[in-house]
Amino acid sequence: MCDVVEKIVNKGIEQGIEQGKEEIIRKMLDANFATEQQIADLLKISVSQVQKIAHRVPDMD
């Protein structure tokens, strides 16, 4: 049972990190702080991932 709870907690942490990364990417692009290529290089992700995030509609919780 403990493993199940740990997996759920870890999944939640991973999702929170991804949401935070997406928010930072959007803010950097909106502020013209960095280019898509610069963001990709900084975060060690592909430019296509940055573009996907940039064009995704953010969740409004």
Side-chain angles (χ1 to χ4, degrees):
M1 186 67 173
C2 208
D3 287 339
V4 172
V5 172
E6 187 175 329
K7 287 179 183 179
I8 292 169
V9 168
N10 287 339
K11 183 67 174 175
I13 290 169
E14 289 172 16
Q15 287 175 338
I17 290 169
E18 285 303 310
Q19 288 174 346
K21 189 185 289 187
E22 289 180 13
E23 184 177 338
I24 289 168
I25 289 169
R26 276 194 216 87
K27 286 182 178 184
M28 289 174 78
L29 291 169
D30 288 346
N32 292 318
F33 181 77
T35 66
E36 291 174 347
Q37 181 65 57
Q38 290 169 326
I39 293 169
D41 291 344
L42 286 169
L43 297 177
K44 307 275 192 267
I45 61 176
S46 69
V47 173
S48 65
Q49 286 177 294
V50 173
Q51 291 169 338
K52 248 192 262 185
I53 291 167
H55 295 101
R56 190 178 304 147
V57 176
D59 291 337
M60 297 294 177
D61 292 340

